[in-house]
Amino acid sequence: MEFAEIKEWFISISPVYQSLFGGLFTWGLTSLGAALVFFFRTINQKVLDAMLGFAAGVMIAASFWSLLAPSIDMAVAQGITAWLPAVIGFLTGGVFLRICDAYMPHLHLGFPTDEAEGVETSWRRATLLVLAITLHNIPEGLAIGVLFGAAASGIEAAGGATIAGAVALAIGIGIQNFPEGTAVSVPLRREGVSVGKSFWYGQLSGIVEPISAVIGAAAVLLVQPILPYALAFAAGAMIYVVVEELIPESQLKGNTDIATMGTMVGFSIMMLLDVALG
């Protein structure tokens, strides 16, 4: 099958299936990143911090170029006050992640087990580390699903959401998921977890993305008026993760300049993908 045929087939299928494939793609790159544990027992801290900064940059750029800007344009197309859905959705997304952060047991990379967040639990350190990454993968999957749903809404020309833009978002999130998979599996291996379990936990952190992508697409297709709010909701959730988790973790060990440059590169690549493909 030629590329043009694959492209036409992909455009013709349901947005729910498009979202599923997008989520599976990002999960697949998470798994590839986790697979590096089969070749490396440790990872240089500067490289890890640059990876975390890169992921932060991608998410910041995606939040504006792929989500907030289309949300504002779509509100205008629907005759709604331009800023209203963006502000309400953005803040609601942040509040949602704050609630999840407060109640879901998890542990951020680089922190001792006694600094785990959420409700108290006796779960193992590896489980808590995976849950931390899983928590911030939820808004990424939702963003993919919501954008594919928005592209199929019938007002994409006026609202700024296109299938190409959704594909660009999936590619950008997939790229930053590769180092995230590594950031989970290799530190676990360094702490004495077996190679197989380290890989398993690393890839497991990304499985939530195809699930949340399908949920996001199905929700906006069923209730189209929520589209601009849903786009901004995903953006708010992603920015919460960046500010609360990725940036602090990337600079925890003092590699501020390297982490910052990683953020700049990640932002630039995601912006390039969205503008060039979207």
Side-chain angles (χ1 to χ4, degrees):
M1 184 179 291
E2 296 182 357
F3 176 77
E5 295 176 324
I6 295 175
K7 179 181 177 181
E8 287 191 14
W9 169 80
F10 186 79
I11 293 174
S12 68
I13 64 176
S14 164
V16 174
Y17 287 112
Q18 292 172 345
S19 301
L20 176 61
F21 286 126
L24 289 174
F25 170 76
T26 58
W27 178 27
L29 286 185
T30 303
S31 300
L32 284 177
L36 291 184
V37 75
F38 291 108
F39 307 98
F40 304 99
R41 184 183 179 91
T42 61
I43 184 171
N44 184 279
Q45 187 63 47
K46 291 182 179 180
V47 174
L48 179 60
D49 291 341
M51 287 178 171
L52 291 172
F54 178 88
V58 169
M59 293 178 71
I60 293 171
S63 295
F64 176 74
W65 295 99
S66 299
L67 299 170
L68 281 176
S71 169
I72 294 169
D73 291 341
M74 194 169 288
V76 173
Q78 293 181 354
I80 306 172
T81 302
W83 54 265
L84 189 63
V87 171
I88 292 176
F90 186 83
L91 293 177
T92 303
V95 170
F96 170 75
L97 256 291
R98 176 66 188 97
I99 293 172
C100 292
D101 194 57
Y103 290 100
M104 179 184 287
H106 62 283
L107 177 66
H108 296 306
L109 293 170
F111 288 84
T113 306
D114 59 6
E115 292 189 25
E117 300 179 18
V119 297
E120 291 188 11
T121 179
S122 59
W123 291 349
R124 295 181 178 180
R125 177 179 176 83
T127 302
L128 295 173
L129 287 169
V130 171
L131 286 176
I133 302 296
T134 301
L135 181 62
H136 92 231
N137 281 345
I138 292 174
E140 294 176 6
L142 284 174
I144 293 171
V146 168
L147 200 55
F148 273 115
S153 65
I155 56 174
E156 58 265 29
T162 65
I163 290 179
V167 170
L169 176 63
I171 292 173
I173 289 178
I175 291 172
Q176 64 99 17
N177 275 6
F178 182 89
E180 282 185 359
T182 306
V184 175
S185 63
V186 174
L188 287 176
R189 178 64 180 138
R190 187 174 60 231
E191 293 180 8
V193 179
S194 69
V195 173
K197 284 187 176 180
S198 296
F199 169 73
W200 172 255
Y201 284 126
Q203 64 81 31
L204 191 62
S205 64
I207 196 173
V208 71
E209 292 200 6
I211 298 172
S212 54
V214 168
I215 292 173
V220 298
L221 287 174
L222 291 173
V223 192
Q224 287 195 14
I226 71 169
L227 271 173
Y229 298 93
L231 289 165
F233 177 93
M238 290 174 70
I239 291 296
Y240 181 92
V241 168
V242 169
V243 177
E244 194 271 340
E245 179 180 343
L246 292 179
I247 290 179
E249 286 178 17
S250 70
Q251 303 191 5
L252 184 65
K253 303 298 183 180
N255 297 315
T256 302
D257 293 338
I258 293 173
T260 300
M261 289 309 301
T263 302
M264 299 290 289
V265 172
F267 185 97
S268 298
I269 289 177
M270 185 64 236
M271 179 173 60
L272 184 154
L273 284 171
D274 194 272
V275 175
L277 299 181

